[in-house]
Amino acid sequence: MLTTLEQGVRGGRWHTLIDKVFSPSNLWIAAGQVIGNQGAAGVDRQTVEHFRANRQQELDRLHEQLRTNRYHPQAVKRVWIPKPGSQEQRPLGVPTVRDRVVQTALLQVLEPIFDITFAEHSYGFRHGRGCHHALERVEELLVAGNVFVVDADLKSYFDTIPKSRLMARIREKVSDSRVLRLVEMYLEQGVMDGLREWTPEKGTPQGAVLSPLLANIYLNPLDHLLDEAGFAMVRYADDFVILCRSREDADRALELVQRWVEENELTLHPTKTRIVDARTENFEFLGYHLGGKLRLPRAKSLKKLKDTVREKTKRTNGHSLPCLCARLSSQLRGWFTYFRHCHWSIFHDLDGWIRTRLRAILRKRTKRRGRPRGLDLRRWTNRFFDEQGLYSLQTAHVRFVQSSRR
């Protein structure tokens, strides 16, 4: 894609892009991604299934609207979902299916232009990079002696990005006025919450396919500033740490970040931003507790898993044991995939706790009260649960460690 786009480059800026956005092939690929991701209907109530059934007609209409400059995105529908680990709810934005298709088509044109400018150790929402790459980089730096960690937290980052400054950064690489206007229209999208509609003054649109790229574009100068100053920063979206060899270096790095953040109209969280000596203290990054002696899931991540397991293993549930094990295994397999780098003890303890809950269910079904006891452990052994199809976190971890050593 980038080779094709470079035909419209003059002076380091891309001039002719809108025709790439609304090309039938680009829209078709974008629609395939949106359909594959599923998702809820937006304010127009059109479902993904309805769009799929009328895919060609819908894409022909979008192509014509974009070509003739008559396309306008609709408001984003706000829905509220439970916040993990608390009784609170957090807002989620749901654009219409048609808007998600156009945003994806726009992303496919803009992403290669900006991605090549991103810093080496920016890992969030980039092809071929993920959380584990960022965590491995942090581990490398800690082992190399970079034990003074600036643990930074940008307060409500996605909701506070200044729109005019963001557009100025996009204009540094893009001069196609129609593409720029398309991005601006998404930044100006209204939010529909019930019968109330308003337009946020700052931030990228909630739920927008384009938002992660826009967030990376805005923080890219900070990445390069720290790199040029000789600091080792590891960033995943708005979550970043800076690892230094001395406390003095960490103080200088934090001062540099504070100054840049203030100049760019963002805010560091006053209580969550700190400097940690990772030899004696823990810090949180991407769901992990790092530093100290053990690598563990952060408390919220562990609580979320346990709450899900508790919900699925109530003594009154009516599922057969194989069915129950299958439902648990699906959850456990996904959790292990993310937290497989944790210390082995966490998997041992969780396996034991899960089997105890299952034994309590079996004990109740045999008309006995109370917690599982010694006889229950001999009656329903660990091997018994393996035979029922229960996923063992400890076994998975042993296999992971063995494969890593080959």
Side-chain angles (χ1 to χ4, degrees):
M1 171 67 85
L2 190 59
T3 304
T4 303
L5 295 174
E6 283 176 343
Q7 298 171 7
V9 180
R10 291 194 300 276
R13 299 173 73 203
W14 274 255
H15 292 258
T16 309
L17 295 174
I18 190 64
D19 59 318
K20 317 298 190 297
V21 175
F22 64 65
S23 74
S25 60
N26 190 37
L27 287 173
W28 183 268
I29 293 169
Q33 290 189 31
V34 172
I35 291 168
N37 292 335
Q38 292 295 309
V43 294
D44 63 353
R45 300 184 180 181
Q46 183 187 44
T47 63
V48 170
E49 291 73 20
H50 179 272
F51 187 93
R52 181 198 287 117
N54 301 276
R55 182 173 179 173
Q56 192 58 63
Q57 299 96 304
E58 290 284 359
L59 294 181
D60 288 344
R61 185 155 67 103
L62 283 174
H63 168 80
E64 190 61 19
Q65 288 177 341
L66 288 163
R67 188 185 68 81
T68 57
N69 216 25
R70 290 184 294 110
Y71 167 80
H72 292 280
Q74 294 181 265
V76 173
K77 182 172 76 173
R78 171 164 286 185
V79 296
W80 296 85
I81 61 174
K83 198 172 183 178
S86 74
Q87 300 297 316
E88 299 177 12
Q89 291 187 315
R90 66 182 181 90
L92 187 69
V94 183
T96 65
V97 178
R98 298 178 77 252
D99 289 342
R100 300 205 293 268
V101 170
V102 176
Q103 281 192 43
T104 304
L106 181 59
L107 178 69
Q108 289 170 172
V109 171
L110 292 180
E111 190 172 50
I113 292 172
F114 286 96
D115 192 76
I116 59 172
T117 72
F118 291 158
E120 173 66 20
H121 298 299
S122 166
Y123 295 90
F125 309 109
R126 298 182 65 190
H127 293 298
R129 294 164 178 256
C131 293
H132 287 294
H133 297 102
L135 290 163
E136 287 165 8
R137 173 61 177 164
V138 169
E139 190 69 24
E140 287 174 9
L141 290 166
L142 288 172
V143 171
N146 299 274
V147 295
F148 291 91
V149 181
V150 179
D151 184 9
D153 186 279
L154 288 170
K155 190 175 181 181
S156 303
Y157 172 60
F158 283 83
D159 294 331
T160 58
I161 299 174
K163 297 178 183 181
S164 59
R165 284 179 174 268
L166 173 59
M167 287 304 305
R169 270 176 212 162
I170 296 171
R171 288 190 183 95
E172 290 173 6
K173 289 293 177 184
V174 175
S175 64
D176 187 316
S177 61
R178 292 177 63 186
V179 165
L180 291 170
R181 180 57 191 145
L182 198 54
V183 175
E184 285 178 330
M185 283 196 291
Y186 286 122
L187 293 176
E188 294 165 3
Q189 256 181 304
V191 175
M192 181 72 76
D193 190 352
L195 297 177
R196 190 166 69 96
E197 182 176 355
W198 78 98
T199 302
E201 294 181 6
K202 291 185 174 183
T204 57
Q206 282 189 357
V209 178
L210 207 56
S211 285
L213 174 65
L214 299 180
N216 273 337
I217 290 171
Y218 199 70
L219 284 182
N220 191 42
L222 175 62
D223 297 343
H224 289 289
L225 176 67
L226 287 164
D227 186 53
E228 289 163 8
F231 294 116
M233 177 186 189
V234 182
R235 182 172 69 81
Y236 190 97
D238 59 333
D239 196 356
F240 66 90
V241 288
I242 307 164
L243 295 95
C244 306
R245 288 188 173 274
S246 69
R247 175 73 194 215
E248 292 74 20
D249 283 346
D251 286 332
R252 288 195 302 109
L254 179 55
E255 184 180 345
L256 188 60
V257 170
Q258 288 171 327
R259 188 162 57 247
W260 187 92
V261 164
E262 184 177 347
E263 289 171 355
N264 287 271
E265 300 180 39
L266 299 174
T267 306
L268 283 174
H269 200 291
T271 58
K272 293 182 180 180
T273 299
R274 60 197 182 115
I275 294 175
V276 172
D277 182 344
R279 294 170 297 184
T280 57
E281 300 174 85
N282 289 112
F283 63 97
E284 291 185 355
F285 186 57
L286 299 178
Y288 277 80
H289 265 306
L290 301 171
K293 294 182 178 179
L294 301 180
R295 180 188 283 186
L296 300 170
R298 68 174 183 165
K300 281 186 177 180
S301 304
L302 192 56
K303 183 180 184 303
K304 183 180 178 182
L305 173 68
K306 285 194 166 186
D307 286 347
T308 302
V309 172
R310 286 191 185 97
E311 183 64 30
K312 292 180 177 179
T313 56
K314 290 180 179 178
R315 296 190 191 191
T316 54
N317 86 83
H319 295 287
S320 68
L321 186 61
C323 177
L324 194 53
C325 287
R327 295 178 72 212
L328 283 171
S329 294
S330 176
Q331 182 78 26
L332 295 172
R333 193 173 287 109
W335 193 85
F336 176 77
T337 298
Y338 189 83
F339 289 103
R340 62 184 183 267
H341 293 282
C342 284
H343 190 264
W344 65 267
S345 60
I346 193 69
F347 306 116
H348 173 272
D349 294 347
L350 278 171
D351 273 351
W353 176 74
I354 292 166
R355 286 192 292 261
T356 296
R357 292 193 63 83
L358 292 173
R359 289 186 183 108
I361 293 172
L362 295 173
R363 186 179 173 86
K364 179 177 175 61
R365 290 179 181 178
T366 55
K367 311 298 182 184
R368 289 184 293 161
R369 297 179 180 179
R371 293 176 58 82
R373 298 168 187 164
L375 180 62
D376 297 321
L377 271 67
R378 293 192 294 273
R379 183 178 183 183
W380 299 304
T381 63
N382 294 355
R383 183 176 179 180
F384 168 79
F385 289 110
D386 290 341
E387 292 169 349
Q388 297 299 311
L390 180 64
Y391 185 81
S392 168
L393 294 167
Q394 188 174 11
T395 301
H397 185 253
V398 169
R399 290 173 180 163
F400 169 67
V401 172
Q402 289 174 343
S403 66
S404 299
R405 289 173 178 169
R406 288 172 189 166

